[in-house]
Every structure is written in C-alpha cells, then in structure tokens.
Amino acid sequence: MASPRAILKRTQSVKNISKITKTMQMIATAKFKRAHDRAVAARPYTDKLTRLIGKLADAAGADFAHPLLDKREPTKVVLLAISSNRGLCGGFNTNAVKAAVAAHKGLIARGLEVEVIAFGKRVANGMRFKGITPDQVITHIEDKPTFAEVDVVGNELLERYASGEVDEVHVAYTKFVSAARQHAGTEQVLPLEPPTDDEASAEASTDAAASQQNFIFHPSAEQILSDLLPRSVRLHVFQAFLDSAVSEQTARMVAMKSATDNANEMIRDLTMLYNRSRQTQITTELSEIIGGAAALE
Amino acid sequence: MSNTLTVTVVTPEGTAYEGEAVHVVVPAFDGEMSFYPLHAPLVGVLGYGELRVARPDGVTEYFYLAGGVVQVADNEVSILAEAVMPAAALNIADANKALAEALASHATGDVEIDIRAAQTEDARARLRAAHAATERGQLTPDEILDLPVE
C-alpha cells in the first residue's frame, strides 16, 4: 500500500482538479443560458421569414425561377464545418468532426471537388488528423457569433454561388434540439429547396384567415421573394452558428459535471484509502513496540 | 377592431421593438410608406432610412433601418430587418466617414458596383437620419460641429 503521505498528495491534486472542473461547469452554465437566449431570440425572425416566403411562393406561382433555386450539375461544392476553438466539452468536437468527415466523404463519393472551410481550431485539427486539409480555417467567430460576423461568410458564399464558382454549399454543424439532445449533422444551404407553402401552411393553418387575405405586394411577389431568398440563406448559416454555440456550452456543461462527479468520487475513495493506510501504519508500529517489549522480558 | 397598430421589429439577433402605435412610417425601397390602423394587407421591401413609430401616448420613436421587409395584416405591422438601431445612436461623423469610404471605393464588375451603390445609399440614409435626429435635438451639439461640406 502506498504511503499515507503519497495518498494525501494525490487527494489534494484531485481536489484541485475538481475545483477547476466545477468552475468550468458553472461558466458553461452561464454561457449556455446566454447562448440559448440568443438562439431563441433569432426564432421569431426565422419563423416570420419562413412563413412570408411560403406565402410569397404561393403568390408568385409555380413557375417562379430564381438563381438561388437553380439546381446546376455540381462540380464544385463548399463544405462549412462548424465546431469550437476549445476542447473539454465531451463528445461535442468529436461528433462535429465525424459529421464533417462523413459529409466530406459523401461529397467526394459523388465525384465533386470539395472546398472545406473550418470554423474552430478543433474541427480543423480533427479533420487534418483524418487526412482532410481545410482550405480555410476561421477561428475568430467565438461562442457569441454576431449576425454581422457571420454575414460576411454568408455574403461571400452567395457571391461565389452567383458567379457560378461554387455549385452547392453544405454545412456540417451540431444542431441544438434540446438541452439533453444535440445532433451533429449536415444540411444543404445552397441551392435552396424550392419554397413551398407546405412548411408554412402547417403553422399558417391556424391563422387561415390571414392567408386568405389578398396582399398588396410592393413591388411584386416575385421581386420580394428575390429579395428574401438571399436573406434566408444568410439566416440559415447564422442559425447554424448559433446552434453550434449553444450545443458546445451544453456539451461542456455535461462533460464538466461528470468530471466533477468523478473527481468527488475519487476523493472519497482516496480518503478512505488514506485512513486505512494510516491505520495500518499505526497497527504496524504498535505491534513493533509490543513485540520489542515482549522480547525484553 | 382597434384603432392602434401592433408594431414588431425583429432582427436575427432578437426582437428589437414591440409596441402599440397609432401611425407608422417605414422607409420603403422607393420612398417612405406610412400605415394607419385598418390598413389593407401588404408586403413590401424596405430600403435604408428612418422608421418612425407614433405611440398612442403621443411620443414618436425613431429608428434607423438598413433594409428589410414589412408585412401589414390585421393591424399588425411586422418588420423583418437585418440591422436596426435607435436614431439617437447615429452619429453624423460616422455616417460621413462611411459615405466618404463608400464613395472612395473603386468598383469594378457588376457585383461590386451594386455593393458600392448599396453602401453609398446606406451611408446617405444614415446621414439624413442623423441630421433629422440632430434637428429634433436627440444628438448632442458636439456632433453637430462635424457638419459635412457638400
């Protein structure tokens, strides 16, 4: 058995680690709250935009065409891989990398030229480890993505898509479903799926009266739709960043909670071990003294 | 029905404004549009400019909008915008600088010309709104000193 002193030393170091993980857990909880608020704050905008696009698509008719809806024979695609700059958040980065690598493999299998833009050091390193070198690594978008920051990315993609340089854009990120469930997966950003009234009508059926109204379109349904579609693309990208940020904090919260729990359990075990080893030492010393005294008689 | 409008201004980063109004003026892409209660349902594209919300208590709120969409239905005015700020947060000096930068930028190609035009328009509208805010006395005098030489 190890000496009591050595065990004491280990207990102390485990205690220190548990202090750190506990603090990280608390920080992650606070950040999660803020990130979650931001993700929720974006929702009214998303809902309204989706509903409006559905309504307009209805008004514009089935023969409405827009460059962002065109399905071209793809040759070059862009894959956005979103995760974080920091580790210590459980399976978050691993899963994000896995999703990005799987998406990459799928695109390569279709015989396409893939450009990877990695957001976050972790996903960049993870992909490099799997033999995929990201063409661009962006690390300045941290856990509080602002629309202005992300918009730069969205605008650039739209421009490159419009010029025909890029034919498809996919994004691999961790979707935030609920505090207990996050799902790493891939979505297609461009070209857009043709807007249908179906998605919106599910919600809109409740305000059926509103959808029955004849709207005045200023200038025209087609032109408004052309103005809105790029917005919805940029929003989609922004939403991905927001979701990823919330998922990261949740994952870290859970990971740090279990780390703290494990540390506490270890402290308990070590304390018990320490007591036992101290008792053994005392017993040994006592029996030595008694043995020595008996030998003198 | 009521004789007020419910105004909501939402951005991707959250709801920027929500409240009742008796009269709303929005910057449409081709000039200002205004709504009173019981306005016919309308969907319109917005440009750069000032959003004015006249509240039932007689106070008028001023915002600066940089493009978006407005939807009016059932006495509800929903504005989807990518950037909104209170007019009092504008700054003549900043707007002037933005305008000078936009004008100085050298545009080649269709896309860049469009971008330059949009930036110029944004800066001009900002400047206009800032001057209007100054006239209302919402901006402090030291900002007025930076009046542009046009």
Side-chain angles (χ1 to χ4, degrees), chain A residues 41-67:
Chain A
R43 220 157 271 168
Y45 188 86
T46 321
D47 286 352
K48 283 199 172 146
L49 196 62
T50 318
R51 220 176 287 185
L52 203 54
I53 287 178
K55 197 179 287 170
L56 288 164
D58 210 25
D63 53 343
F64 173 75
H66 188 270

Side-chain angles (χ1 to χ4, degrees), chain B residues 58-115:
Chain B
V59 180
T60 305
E61 307 237 27
Y62 298 85
F63 297 93
Y64 178 73
L65 274 185
V69 195
V70 63
Q71 181 190 331
V72 187
D74 296 331
N75 280 334
E76 268 180 40
V77 180
S78 318
I79 294 167
L80 302 178
E82 279 174 11
V84 181
M85 59 173 113
L90 286 170
N91 187 321
I92 292 181
D94 284 353
N96 259 328
K97 216 173 101 202
L99 180 59
E101 270 170 26
L103 288 175
S105 69
H106 191 68
T108 50
D110 288 348
V111 180
E112 277 156 39
I113 290 173
D114 282 350
I115 294 174

Side-chain angles (χ1 to χ4, degrees), chain B:
Chain B
M1 295 269 278
S2 66
N3 47 10
T4 55
L5 294 157
T6 310
V7 184
T8 41
V9 182
V10 291
T11 69
E13 293 187 355
T15 306
Y17 180 80
E18 200 162 15
E20 297 288 306
V22 287
H23 179 211
V24 182
V25 181
V26 298
F29 72 102
D30 58 351
E32 287 191 334
M33 247 192 311
S34 96
F35 307 116
Y36 281 99
L38 301 177
H39 194 283
L42 175 140
V43 178
V45 175
L46 300 180
Y48 303 95
E50 205 176 44
L51 164 71
R52 298 195 287 276
V53 180
R55 294 199 321 224
D57 59 9
V59 180
T60 305
E61 307 237 27
Y62 298 85
F63 297 93
Y64 178 73
L65 274 185
V69 195
V70 63
Q71 181 190 331
V72 187
D74 296 331
N75 280 334
E76 268 180 40
V77 180
S78 318
I79 294 167
L80 302 178
E82 279 174 11
V84 181
M85 59 173 113
L90 286 170
N91 187 321
I92 292 181
D94 284 353
N96 259 328
K97 216 173 101 202
L99 180 59
E101 270 170 26
L103 288 175
S105 69
H106 191 68
T108 50
D110 288 348
V111 180
E112 277 156 39
I113 290 173
D114 282 350
I115 294 174
R116 184 177 182 271
Q119 279 172 345
T120 319
E121 202 185 324
D122 183 15
R124 285 219 167 98
R126 224 173 260 258
L127 198 57
R128 244 190 337 263
H131 278 300
T134 311
E135 268 164 41
R136 290 192 301 268
Q138 287 175 335
L139 291 184
T140 47
D142 59 305
E143 279 156 337
I144 304 175
L145 291 178
D146 295 310
L147 279 176
V149 191
E150 279 189 82

Side-chain angles (χ1 to χ4, degrees), chain A residues 28-29 31-33 35-37 39-40 43 89 92 174-183 243-255 257:
Chain A
T29 313
K31 279 194 179 166
F32 162 74
K33 180 96 191 35
H36 187 248
D37 286 349
V40 170
R43 220 157 271 168
C89 43
F92 171 73
T174 313
K175 198 178 179 70
F176 178 79
V177 185
S178 71
R181 222 159 67 87
Q182 297 91 43
H183 172 71
D243 268 34
S244 181
V246 187
S247 303
E248 179 195 347
Q249 298 308 336
T250 324
R252 177 164 297 130
M253 220 161 75
V254 174
K257 170 136 184 25

